[in-house]
């Protein structure tokens, strides 16, 4: 028999052990939300109610890859410390194990006025009047894998996606599905064939029209449908939006919300935020936003926020559009080697380019010749850089130029690069699509210098080809989209209902469908980004959606662990001492000016020989922030080609008139998020370094960096503190 004292002892030991070891597995995020175990994707039903932030999320209760999708649930009072609750909406199967209903992404609201009729009496006030609950309503996509007849008579087709609702009268702890589900069974008649690709309803209360508004996605059509309702049960289609901007992939998880421009309450604007997969800024998943207006029925994008891919900016010079499809590269002044020797531009329709209209003609430069096996180089004539930007169309497989393997047997690049002074200063690869998309390089810092363009294809593997077209020199960049985050790991971003207009808080899934189910974590897979606050700011006369981590994150900061001013930081690397364990979980802020050098930055999760490192920096010539995870750690969990994981991510950030740049870097055990102080740059990137790689270094390239202030705060674990 176990005595009472032994019992107490075991409990205490168990509890003590639990606290010490809780959330300490390799790569376990310390200040990001992750489920205790199993697979997670999109944040769902973000709702602030009665002082509590609810976070529901796509969750597989049965495994560490996608499946059996349910809504997991956690709550917080500060967006920093999370308490796990039991599953809110759990995947349903029949007695034979056929899955009948998965709960896909959606949103949640509080029905304050009981428009839905789901409220229940909870007591009486002092006058004897009945007080009713304020029900929480979840609006989600019912994904029905198996054809069946519902008990309410609705006939469900296999693979159908419909919009449904469930309600809770106990603050989200338990949920009841509405017996009339689904509330929107099918897309409108003209899109009837899209019944398997109709999902992710975001609902909010629109005060001016006293209606509920829903935006849901026809994912494969890149169309968002806007509905209205008086009671959350009957919905009327009001309008549609799209395709626009990044549109070669599925549009998923849309949301729409107001913000004040530059903090001016008289100037309300509306933002559409959505995921695109594939077709993101790097490869696979990405997030874009569009600013415009919303009148209660229709979203109209600001003209400055929609980019017509067939228009090139006024005043730009076409350097090369590859229309000479019967000439060789040599005849148009270019050079070609290897399998490309003697060849020239090709007819786009014969070489696997998908959006032909994108190439503004018929000709294209391609390395897709005799299939993917062709290798060699194609080089432009030398030119003088005269404009601030070089913009171009690009498509193909993701095989980035990696400076540390270039020219070695491990080189696998299929890249398009800008060479200045004999150095590759910019390089782009495909985004794993055959659709030509616009990309641009800020070359203001190189004006007056000689340069050339270089296509290098050393790869014969799957998708190992590139298409390039319409190379223009311009003074405003030719954009494809407003990217919400310039890294690979921010998807399905969702915002909180229940906060006031200026307090728009967003959480993104910090992963990517391109490799997300393979990341080397166990027993959980995927984390959320840090919650971020959004605002709309006019920057250089363009309206931008800007973001910063929520201020409450600072409650986890330790006192300053390192703080130093460098009037000049010398060229080369300078190791700084950040004590363990905070060398792997910290906020590192740097404020700096250009000295005689060309790049400044920070190396994190590094070892003494720099064979492992995550490099974050600013390029003064390219006027851009970068994150380089080529050597950040494990990427062997991807065992196919192209491997979408390694890479270098770049976001333009013009040098302001103060000449001073500030970057705030949030490092956790398997991620890094970089924000600039204006909020226009966010780069979110997972990393999987060895525990032993924990050195912190500063670097300056090609000369000094000036007036550098470095401050490091550790970030305590939100799970044990
Ligand atoms: C986006 C997504 C959504 C869908 C959910 C399913 O990541 O594909 O469109 O609702 O995941 O888990």
């Amino acid at each position: 028999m176990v005595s009472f004292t032994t019992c107490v002892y075991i409990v205490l030991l168990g509890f003590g052990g639990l606290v010490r070891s809780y959330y300490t597995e390799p790569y376990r995020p310390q200040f990001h939300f992750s489920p205790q175990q199993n697979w997670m994707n999109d944040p769902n039903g973000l709702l602030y109610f009665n002082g509590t932030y609810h976070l529901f999320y796509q969750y597989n209760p049965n495994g560490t890859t996608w499946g059996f999708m349910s809504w997991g649930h956690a709550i917080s009072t500060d967006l920093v410390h999370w308490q796990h609750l039991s599953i809110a909406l759990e995947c349903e199967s029949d007695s034979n194990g056929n899955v009948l209903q998965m709960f896909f992404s959606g949103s949640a609201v509080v029905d304050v006025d009981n428009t839905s009729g789901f409220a229940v009496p909870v007591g009486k006030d002092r006058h004897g009047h009945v007080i009713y609950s304020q029900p929480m309503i979840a609006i989600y996509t019912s994904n029905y894998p198996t054809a069946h007849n519902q008990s309410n008579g609705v006939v469900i087709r296999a693979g159908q996606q419909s919009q449904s609702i469930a309600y809770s009268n106990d603050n989200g702890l338990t949920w009841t599905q509405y017996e009339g589900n689904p509330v929107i069974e099918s897309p409108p008649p003209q899109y009837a064939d899209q019944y398997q690709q109709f999902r992710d309803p975001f609902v909010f209360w629109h005060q001016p029209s006293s209606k509920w508004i829903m935006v849901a996605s026809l994912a494969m059509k890149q169309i968002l449908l806007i509905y209205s309702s008086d009671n959350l049960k009957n919905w009327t289609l009001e309008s549609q939006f799209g395709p626009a901007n990044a549109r070669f992939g599925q549009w998923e998880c849309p949301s729409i919300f107001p913000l004040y421009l530059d903090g001016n309450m008289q100037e309300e604007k509306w933002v559409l935020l959505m995921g695109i997969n594939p077709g993101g800024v790097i490869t696979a998943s990405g997030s874009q936003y569009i600013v415009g207006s919303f009148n209660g029925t229709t979203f109209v994008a600001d003209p400055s926020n929609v980019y017509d891919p067939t228009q090139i900016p006024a005043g730009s010079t076409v350097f090369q559009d590859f229309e000479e499809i019967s000439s060789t590269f040599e005849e148009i002044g270019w050079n070609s080697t290897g399998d490309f020797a003697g060849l020239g531009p090709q007819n786009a329709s014969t070489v696997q380019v998908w959006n032909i209209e994108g190439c503004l003609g018929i000709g294209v430069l391609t390395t897709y010749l005799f299939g993917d096996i062709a290798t060699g180089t194609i080089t432009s004539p030398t030119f003088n850089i005269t404009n601030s930007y070089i913009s171009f169309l690009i498509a193909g497989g993701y095989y980035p130029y990696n400076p540390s393997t270039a020219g070695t047997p491990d080189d696998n690049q299929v890249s398009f690069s800008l060479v200045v002074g004999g150095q590759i200063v910019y390089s782009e690869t495909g985004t794993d699509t055959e659709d030509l998309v616009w990309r641009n390089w800020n070359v203001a810092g190189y004006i007056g210098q000689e340069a050339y363009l270089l296509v290098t294809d050393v790869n014969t593997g799957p998708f190992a080809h590139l298409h390039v077209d319409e190379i223009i020199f311009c003074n405003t960049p030719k954009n494809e989209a407003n990217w919400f985050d310039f890294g690979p790991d921010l998807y399905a971003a969702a915002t909180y209902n229940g906060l006031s207009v200026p307090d728009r808080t967003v959480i993104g899934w910090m992963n990517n469908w391109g490799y997300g189910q393979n990341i080397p974590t166990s027993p959980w897979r995927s984390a959320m980004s840090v919650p971020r606050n959004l605002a709309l700011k006019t920057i250089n006369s363009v309206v931008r959606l800007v973001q910063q981590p929520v201020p409450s994150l600072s409650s986890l900061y330790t006192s300053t662990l390192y703080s130093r001013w460098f009037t000049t930081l010398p060229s080369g690397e300078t190791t700084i001492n950040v004590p363990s364990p905070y060398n792997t979980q910290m906020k590192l802020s740097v404020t700096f000016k250009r000295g005689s050098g060309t790049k400044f930055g920070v190396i994190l999760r590094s070892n003494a020989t720099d064979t492992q490192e995550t490099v974050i920096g600013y390029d003064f010539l390219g006027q851009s922030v970068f994150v380089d995870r080529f050597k950040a750690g494990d990427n062997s969990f991807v065992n196919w080609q192209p491997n979408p994981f390694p890479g270098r991510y770049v976001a333009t950030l013009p040098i302001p008139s103060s000449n001073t740049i500030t970057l705030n870097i949030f490092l956790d055990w398997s991620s890094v998020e970089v924000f600039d102080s204006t909020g226009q740059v966010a780069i979110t990137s997972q990393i999987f370094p060895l525990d032993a790689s924990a050195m912190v270094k500063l670097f300056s390239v090609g000369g000094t960096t000036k007036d550098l202030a470095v401050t490091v705060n550790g970030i305590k674990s939100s799970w044990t503190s």
Side-chain angles (χ1 to χ4, degrees):
M1 212 176 97
V2 183
S3 72
F4 175 72
T5 24
T6 319
C7 249
V8 170
Y9 180 70
I10 289 171
V11 168
L12 284 178
L13 191 71
F15 186 67
L18 180 74
V19 169
R20 266 197 306 280
S21 62
Y22 192 54
Y23 272 57
T24 55
E25 305 93 334
Y27 305 133
R28 178 65 97 167
Q30 298 299 292
F31 59 92
H32 290 85
F33 179 82
S34 61
Q36 284 173 301
Q37 55 180 9
N38 292 327
W39 169 261
M40 173 179 80
N41 54 286
D42 321 345
N44 294 150
L46 301 189
L47 180 62
Y48 180 71
F49 181 50
N50 277 348
T52 300
Y53 292 90
H54 292 264
L55 165 62
F56 300 90
Y57 51 88
Q58 287 289 283
Y59 184 60
N60 179 358
N62 303 329
T64 50
T65 53
W66 188 90
F68 303 98
M69 296 321 291
S70 306
W71 276 34
H73 189 193
I75 51 170
S76 171
T77 52
D78 60 2
L79 290 166
V80 171
H81 298 88
W82 295 97
Q83 182 190 339
H84 296 292
L85 297 181
S86 53
I87 293 176
L89 295 162
E90 186 155 12
C91 177
E92 296 165 346
S93 303
D94 67 14
S95 51
N96 298 322
N98 299 312
V99 174
L100 294 184
Q101 180 176 211
M102 295 205 235
F103 295 83
F104 272 18
S105 286
S107 49
V109 296
V110 176
D111 187 8
V112 180
D113 297 325
N114 194 21
T115 63
S116 62
F118 292 137
V120 291
V122 287
K124 287 193 175 150
D125 68 12
R126 59 196 171 94
H127 307 294
H129 299 137
V130 178
I131 305 174
Y132 285 90
S133 65
Q134 296 188 323
M136 280 171 69
I137 319 279
I139 308 96
Y140 54 89
T141 297
S142 293
N143 180 79
Y144 306 108
T146 316
H148 64 283
N149 294 344
Q150 287 194 161
S151 54
N152 65 1
V154 177
V155 178
I156 302 293
R157 295 164 287 176
Q160 178 174 326
Q161 295 182 346
S162 306
Q163 317 322 320
S164 296
I165 60 177
Y167 57 94
S168 169
N169 279 311
D170 59 3
N171 290 319
L173 288 179
T174 59
W175 292 82
T176 308
Q177 293 175 56
Y178 170 50
E179 72 275 5
N181 277 340
V183 292
I184 307 180
E185 202 176 320
S186 306
Q190 66 273 33
Y191 301 116
D193 62 341
Q194 297 300 305
Y195 71 98
Q196 297 172 313
Q197 301 288 347
F198 172 41
R199 59 180 177 269
D200 303 345
F202 174 79
V203 173
F204 68 99
W205 177 251
H206 186 247
Q207 189 64 49
S209 61
S210 287
K211 280 192 191 303
W212 298 104
I213 302 295
M214 175 195 292
V215 50
S217 179
L218 288 176
M220 300 298 278
K221 291 275 176 200
Q222 301 84 34
I223 286 175
L224 304 180
L225 299 175
I226 297 179
Y227 292 83
S228 72
S229 173
D230 293 326
N231 57 10
L232 294 161
K233 296 172 179 165
N234 305 107
W235 292 90
T236 308
L237 180 65
E238 298 286 1
S239 65
Q240 66 178 64
F241 178 83
N245 298 355
R247 67 203 180 288
F248 300 116
Q250 305 173 70
W251 276 13
E252 299 184 316
C253 303
S255 57
I256 181 171
F257 50 86
L259 281 171
Y260 301 132
L261 180 58
D262 299 319
N264 176 357
M265 287 176 70
Q266 308 308 318
E267 264 212 78
E268 186 181 79
K269 291 210 154 270
W270 287 75
V271 182
L272 272 183
L273 178 63
M274 71 192 83
I276 176 158
N277 176 63
V281 61
I282 311 299
T283 170
S285 318
S287 302
Q288 66 168 338
Y289 69 90
I290 301 173
V291 180
S293 60
F294 178 68
N295 62 3
T297 59
T298 311
F299 176 83
V300 179
D302 283 358
S304 65
N305 266 255
V306 273
Y307 307 112
D308 178 347
T310 66
Q311 295 296 315
I312 58 175
S316 52
T317 311
V318 178
F319 176 64
Q320 184 52 256
D321 60 7
F322 301 109
E323 288 306 305
E324 301 93 333
I325 56 171
S326 33
S327 306
T328 62
F329 284 116
E330 279 63 26
E331 283 164 353
I332 63 166
W334 286 52
N335 233 297
S336 51
T337 67
D339 295 324
F340 311 123
L343 300 175
Q346 302 291 315
N347 183 329
S349 62
T350 64
V351 291
Q352 201 148 320
V353 176
W354 286 346
N355 74 320
I356 305 290
E357 93 279 5
C359 74
L360 315 183
I362 53 164
V364 68
L365 177 156
T366 184
T367 71
Y368 189 73
L369 294 158
F370 334 110
D372 286 316
I373 55 167
T375 59
T377 63
I378 304 170
T379 313
S380 82
T382 301
F383 58 90
N384 211 335
I385 297 181
T386 49
N387 295 59
S388 300
Y389 290 89
I390 299 176
S391 297
F392 50 89
L393 287 162
I394 191 163
Y398 179 83
Y399 288 107
Y401 159 74
N402 176 348
S404 51
T405 55
T408 75
D410 291 333
D411 192 0
N412 69 352
Q413 66 181 302
V414 184
S415 64
F416 177 57
S417 305
L418 175 69
V419 185
V420 183
Q423 302 286 318
I424 291 186
V425 298
Y426 273 116
S427 191
E428 198 76 37
T429 185
T431 58
D432 286 335
T433 154
E434 303 286 11
D435 293 300
L436 290 163
V437 292
W438 284 100
R439 293 292 185 262
N440 58 72
W441 294 323
N442 182 337
V443 292
Y446 299 101
I447 286 177
Q449 299 200 46
E450 297 239 293
Y452 64 89
L453 300 164
L454 170 66
V455 173
T456 307
D457 181 345
V458 301
N459 196 326
T460 58
F463 221 152
H465 63 264
L466 209 61
H467 312 301
V468 176
D469 200 10
E470 217 62 39
I471 302 164
I472 60 174
F473 299 158
C474 42
N475 286 325
T476 45
K478 176 64 196 165
N479 283 317
E480 175 81 7
N482 298 325
W483 297 111
F484 178 60
D485 190 292
F486 291 85
D489 291 311
L490 200 288
Y491 193 61
T495 67
Y496 269 90
N497 272 328
L499 299 170
S500 62
V501 173
D503 299 328
R504 191 47 70 165
T505 302
V506 69
I507 295 179
W509 178 48
M510 196 160 58
N511 205 347
N512 186 314
W513 285 115
Y515 44 75
Q517 299 190 79
N518 295 70
I519 58 169
T521 62
S522 171
W524 83 102
R525 234 193 217 118
S526 292
M528 296 301 180
S529 72
V530 289
R532 305 166 183 189
N533 280 347
L534 301 179
L536 279 181
K537 254 199 217 173
T538 311
I539 298 174
N540 298 329
S541 53
V542 182
V543 178
R544 296 249 170 254
L545 184 61
V546 298
Q547 52 185 309
Q548 296 290 353
V550 291
S552 54
L553 192 60
S554 63
S555 66
L556 294 176
Y557 299 169
T558 65
S559 57
T560 302
L561 299 179
Y562 177 91
S563 170
R564 194 168 154 190
W565 169 264
F566 295 82
T567 309
T568 50
L569 179 76
S571 188
E573 291 181 2
T574 305
T575 300
I576 67 173
N577 181 34
V578 179
S580 172
Y582 296 112
N583 45 7
T584 58
Q585 50 189 95
M586 70 172 103
K587 172 186 186 234
L588 189 154
S589 299
V590 280
T591 298
F592 53 93
K593 287 194 171 107
R594 184 175 179 192
S596 57
T598 55
K599 288 190 188 95
F600 161 75
V602 178
I603 302 174
L604 297 173
R605 300 310 306 262
S606 146
N607 55 11
T609 53
D610 287 350
T611 48
Q612 199 157 89
E613 56 180 13
T614 299
V615 187
I616 297 139
Y618 188 76
D619 176 343
F620 294 102
L621 297 176
Q623 301 204 20
S624 49
V625 183
F626 59 89
V627 172
D628 185 329
R629 72 170 178 191
F630 275 117
K631 296 195 281 179
D634 189 10
N635 59 40
S636 65
F637 52 89
V638 176
N639 60 1
W640 63 89
Q641 293 291 324
N643 182 342
F645 195 79
R648 183 173 189 274
Y649 316 114
V650 179
T652 286
L653 178 66
I655 298 176
S657 49
S658 65
N659 283 324
T660 304
I661 304 275
T662 296
L663 300 180
N664 294 312
I665 301 165
F666 296 83
L667 176 73
D668 203 341
W669 285 12
S670 51
S671 65
V672 62
E673 285 155 287
V674 181
F675 303 88
D676 85 296
S677 56
T678 69
Q680 25 181 342
V681 167
I683 304 179
T684 305
S685 178
Q686 294 184 90
I687 51 172
F688 299 105
L690 291 170
D691 283 351
S693 302
M695 292 176 80
V696 182
K697 300 168 188 171
L698 309 171
F699 68 91
S700 187
V701 174
T704 59
T705 299
K706 276 198 333 195
D707 297 345
L708 166 65
V710 185
T711 310
V712 178
N713 294 89
I715 305 185
K716 289 176 277 185
S717 166
S718 61
W719 302 100
T720 56
S721 67

